[in-house]
Amino acid sequence: MATDAPAITLTIAGSEATGGAGAQVDLKTFQELGTYGIAALTCIVSFDPKDSWNHRFVPVEAQVIADQLEAIQSCYTIDTVKIGMLGTPTTIDTVATALATQDWQNVVLDPVLICKGQEPGAALDTDQALKANILPLATFVTPNHFEAESLSGIEIRSVEDLKEAARLIHAASGAVVLAKGGVRLEGSDAVDVYYDGETLEVLSAPKVGDVAVSGAGCTLAAAVAAELAKGATPLEAARTAKAFVTEGIKNRVSSNAPFDAVWQGGAGDLQEQPAG
Ligand code: PXL
């Protein structure tokens, strides 16, 4: 029997071969939250176990990225996109051009700024291109501690600093901001700050260990995108995403690499989240 058509969610992101970050995480999160997931790959990241698990990074050719997006945008009417790792200025141009061919309801940007294994010079160009060409298109942005410092230009040592960074990033971009302190700020809670220009809310959950797991940021942004696609308000989407990623971290999967991976399948039914 046909069920109601699911909301459609697209991720434009890199592949991280072990399944702990990037497009693989986005698709698992979309599926788990009941949306139809689609991915356009921008790059392939393969950790190198012979070299301290550093990243080997290969960009997908610009034309191949354009082809994927042409196929996807022709096949489905999509109003929600999540943008993850883009990797090079050329990729950023290609993605910005494809995004400009239509209107979007929700553009959720996880502003992945640096990837180990990239030339620092190239990373700087990429950061600038992301700020110039993609950030202005974002309706919702989810910077981590490092990215929030880079986008706001301030040093973040406390929750008050994180709030100020969220205000500055909102002022510069117009986007709803969910700035992630995660395990980087002192204290027993993993604290994130939501700011949409009116409402400022601190979302916190007890830290689970003090080592960051791989894929938490990707999971959070993908969950925000899924919830927005289903019609949640930005604040509801942020609360549900925080609860989803917290469950995923509690249910983390260990591996032979020196970091664990979030398990999106362990969240079960999320209850409506109380105001934080
Ligand atoms: O978590 C950031 C990230 C995003 N996308 C890809 C990655 C990583 C980190 O490893 O490899 C493809």
Side-chain angles (χ1 to χ4, degrees):
M1 216 170 69
T3 52
D4 286 344
I8 293 179
T9 39
L10 166 64
T11 180
I12 304 177
S15 161
E16 189 277 274
T18 71
Q24 289 88 334
V25 159
D26 295 341
L27 290 176
K28 286 182 258 188
T29 301
F30 292 161
Q31 180 79 14
E32 198 63 30
L33 291 173
T35 69
Y36 182 92
I38 300 176
L41 291 185
T42 56
C43 58
I44 313 264
V45 171
S46 314
F47 299 144
D48 187 351
K50 303 183 297 310
D51 179 22
S52 314
W53 301 88
N54 274 323
H55 295 192
R56 293 174 290 199
F57 164 85
V58 180
V60 171
E61 202 181 307
Q63 186 59 50
V64 177
I65 298 172
D67 291 351
Q68 293 175 76
L69 289 168
E70 182 188 19
I72 292 163
Q73 289 176 288
S74 305
C75 202
Y76 291 103
T77 303
I78 303 174
D79 64 18
T80 299
V81 59
K82 183 222 142 164
I83 301 171
M85 185 167 162
L86 298 178
T88 73
T90 308
T91 304
I92 287 168
D93 280 352
T94 308
V95 169
T97 302
L99 289 175
T101 60
Q102 66 163 90
D103 292 332
W104 298 90
Q105 192 87 34
N106 307 299
V107 177
V108 180
L109 173 63
D110 188 16
V112 181
L113 288 184
I114 47 161
C115 171
K116 279 183 286 176
Q118 280 185 281
E119 292 290 320
L124 191 63
D125 286 357
T126 302
D127 292 359
Q128 282 165 354
L130 191 77
K131 285 177 196 163
N133 298 334
I134 305 288
L135 187 60
L137 305 174
T139 62
F140 198 120
V141 61
T142 61
N144 64 19
H145 181 260
F146 169 79
E147 293 152 358
E149 286 190 335
S150 167
L151 294 177
S152 67
I154 65 168
E155 194 179 348
I156 301 170
R157 294 213 180 136
S158 64
V159 177
E160 288 312 307
D161 295 342
L162 196 60
K163 289 181 186 170
E164 182 59 14
R167 285 194 201 94
L168 290 167
I169 297 167
H170 172 78
S173 65
V176 176
V177 180
L178 182 55
K180 300 170 283 184
V183 293
R184 306 263 176 249
L185 298 179
E186 280 180 17
S188 56
D189 285 350
V191 175
D192 303 332
V193 169
Y194 170 95
Y195 184 61
D196 60 16
E198 286 177 10
T199 303
L200 189 142
E201 185 163 301
V202 175
L203 303 172
S204 51
K207 281 181 187 168
V208 184
D210 50 12
V211 177
V213 288
S214 145
C218 302
T219 303
L220 186 80
V224 166
E227 291 304 306
L228 291 173
K230 292 190 292 185
T233 65
L235 182 55
E236 288 166 349
R239 288 177 184 157
T240 305
K242 174 80 174 175
F244 183 78
V245 79
T246 301
E247 280 307 302
I249 291 170
K250 282 188 196 152
N251 293 307
R252 62 217 277 170
V253 175
S254 63
S255 72
N256 297 324
F259 36 80
D260 299 341
V262 173
W263 166 230
Q264 292 78 16
D269 281 339
L270 292 169
Q271 302 300 315
E272 178 74 9
Q273 292 308 302

